[in-house]
Amino acid sequence: MGGRWKDVFLVAFGQKKMFKNVIPAVLHFLIYAAFLITQIEFIEIFIDGIFGSHRILAPFLGGFYTFMVGSIEVLSLLAFFATVAFLWRRNLLKLPRFTKTELDGWPRLDANFILFGEILLIAGIFAMNGADLVLQERLPDLYHSTGVLPVSKLLSFDFFSAMDTPTLQVLERIGWWSHVLVVFGFILYLPNSKHLHIFLAFPNVYFSKKTPRGEMANMPDIMNEVRSMLGLQGQEVTETVSDVLPVFGASDVKDLTGKNIMDAYSCTECGRCTAVCPANLTGKKLSPRKIMMDVRDRATEVVRYEALKNRAAAADNATDEAHKGDGKNLFNYISREEIRACTTCNACVEACPVLIDPLDIILQMRRYEVLTESVTAEAWTPMFTSLENQGCVWQVPQERTDWIKEQ
Amino acid sequence: MAELAAAGEQPEVLYWVGCAGSFDARAQKVARSFCALLDKAGISYAILGNEEKCTGDPARRAGNEFVFQMLALQNIEVLNLSQVTNIVATCPHCFNTLKNEYPALGGNYEVMHHTQYLQKLFSEGRLSVSGGAFKGIKITYHDSCYLGRVNGDYEAPRALIETLDADLIELKRSRSNGLCCGAGGAQMFKEDEVGDKRINEERVEEVLSVGAEVVGANCPWCITMLTDGLKAREKQDNVMVYDISELILRNI
């Protein structure tokens, strides 16, 4: 329990794993810190909006208010530079992890959308504060003093001083409204965006795998079956006769664990996994990021399809239809070529800043191929045969002890 | 092991040879040099011999849980009947499966990778170096995924290399960023999917870029992959790939 909260604190809150690569880590941390601290000001904006007040906290908090809004200004300015740097890295620098084909279309647009939204939000903050600072001198009864706000005082005071009072009042309102609209728009936008990671990173880290990294989940049904087949002592096996063939492994999102699905929705498509994947680095189709995006897209598709189904079923009483799926599964998204190219090296698992495990999904799909469909990579069939017959990965003519003699 | 057990004796440790150590000509040499080190340290050890089977790692990672369970349960039966408590393996895949996957099936042992075991022997003073056979030689070290990233041990092999008194040059991608040789997850036993190049070639290019004369490894599959990669680049005479135990043996 303690270990899980420690992970949440260090990995999610402290972004420990991001700091493997310092430059993006610092840039990301600035935006994150600015985002967090701006929420304090948003509480005031929210209250002001409801009661028609203006900077209601300023008279109560006094010097602390100046410190708070001042800190927001400094962090927002830094976040502005970080956002510009991110736009540059993403669109002009052509970093390999941002140019992969799985980002074509909506994912690339989604990322840029958020970054532009951030610039809009920061511009809103500085329009609001900058105009306010001048208005405090001209109309002190209407605009309560905030104290000296560092960025607005140093960088934009002269700029706003040159404007007439009605223009400043309108500008201040535009800044205020753009702040409100961007934040509420962002909340509505989040569930359909890779940016859901700002919330899901925390539970995803909390629920991350605590068993040894090298341990694949055991399959007790198969273990018991094999035990009884080998005539070994141990658990009692209860014979169950069923017409339904058992399904092992995962062919669709419903076969995956809840954590696998949360992983998929926690993914912000940064591509640190794909950038270190040996298969991807050498030009194979496998990309751990694409695995996560595919699982998420398929999960969303299943939920939408079932909602439609249920509505139709409720209207028409068409119950037979309701049992059928949409005729698709994860293999429509993820090819066999992709899952078979994985070396299980765990580089993707190690790389993920929010402890997503793409490998677990790949291995569950491999299990489905072999155990449920009885298909596999061509060269793995003779390996399985040797293992079954001789207990060795190769077909071997010698004794297992011959190596001792050949001195 | 069966003979010792029948005589009521318990060896200090069971050496898990693995399929590579048992049958692959290159890995057999590693197995013999590791045994030579155990002899030098005066360790009483045993092997399972013909009762040893593949741990099941490649079957499980290729998706064949059925074959994995068959192998694992038979191995566990033999190990438990022989009352084995301590195991050392020269293959990090065997090591990982024995250590992390057998407990769920009823097999609980103290399992060490041979680099960890050798480091222990050094720290206990049961092994010590004499010659500076590698003085001035440029050695690089390739982290195996299953000892390094998967089981978190980056230090034991490096501590052993330190005893060689050689110049250790780290690869660009090392420790938790180490690049796979391309063999894991049963890739060793099939052809690569279509791509630009093989993973071992990518890794070997990195080895060549640091100008090392010797690559120290700790896994039979890594050794095969790196050696093949060097051959593909026609550098097999310029750079030699050794298991760390082989390097240690030469220096004792």
Side-chain angles (χ1 to χ4, degrees), chain B residues 56-97:
Chain B
D57 158 87
R60 188 171 232 197
R61 275 153 189 80
N64 200 331
E65 185 72 6
F66 196 82
V67 168
F68 166 75
Q69 293 284 348
M70 262 180 60
L71 297 165
L73 289 170
Q74 291 180 76
N75 280 328
I76 290 168
E77 183 78 357
V78 171
L79 289 167
N80 288 353
L81 278 175
S82 316
Q83 295 176 310
V84 169
T85 51
N86 292 281
I87 305 178
V88 59
T90 40
C91 168
H93 295 267
C94 298
F95 157 71
N96 177 69
T97 296

Side-chain angles (χ1 to χ4, degrees), chain B residues 54-230:
Chain B
C54 170
T55 57
D57 158 87
R60 188 171 232 197
R61 275 153 189 80
N64 200 331
E65 185 72 6
F66 196 82
V67 168
F68 166 75
Q69 293 284 348
M70 262 180 60
L71 297 165
L73 289 170
Q74 291 180 76
N75 280 328
I76 290 168
E77 183 78 357
V78 171
L79 289 167
N80 288 353
L81 278 175
S82 316
Q83 295 176 310
V84 169
T85 51
N86 292 281
I87 305 178
V88 59
T90 40
C91 168
H93 295 267
C94 298
F95 157 71
N96 177 69
T97 296
L98 290 164
K99 180 183 159 76
N100 295 320
E101 298 194 318
Y102 278 19
L105 279 68
N108 294 286
Y109 322 101
E110 279 297 316
V111 188
M112 287 179 104
H113 183 255
H114 70 303
T115 55
Q116 298 172 326
Y117 195 75
L118 289 173
Q119 195 205 6
K120 186 174 104 122
L121 295 181
F122 271 108
S123 65
E124 289 169 358
R126 297 171 80 170
L127 275 180
S128 56
V129 286
S130 59
F134 292 92
K135 207 162 177 65
I137 304 265
K138 287 182 190 164
I139 293 186
T140 192
Y141 170 64
H142 165 81
D143 285 281
S144 70
C145 303
Y146 274 75
L147 179 65
R149 204 157 31 230
V150 173
N151 283 287
D153 196 340
Y154 308 107
E155 299 310 326
R158 285 182 171 79
L160 291 177
I161 290 177
E162 208 136 279
T163 68
L164 298 175
D165 206 15
D167 297 333
L168 174 63
I169 321 167
E170 289 287 354
L171 294 170
K172 206 174 108 232
R173 288 172 280 194
S174 65
R175 295 177 194 266
S176 65
N177 296 323
L179 180 74
C180 176
C181 71
Q187 296 299 328
M188 184 72 207
F189 310 104
K190 72 181 233 317
E191 284 306 311
D192 283 14
E193 274 62 31
V194 181
D196 306 331
K197 60 170 136 174
R198 297 180 55 129
I199 296 169
N200 57 347
E201 292 171 14
E202 168 87 10
R203 187 54 158 171
V204 157
E205 282 165 17
E206 201 172 335
V207 169
L208 294 171
S209 76
V210 299
E213 299 154 84
V214 171
V215 187
N218 65 56
C219 168
W221 315 113
C222 295
I223 292 176
T224 304
M225 278 295 186
L226 294 172
T227 308
D228 287 353
L230 286 166

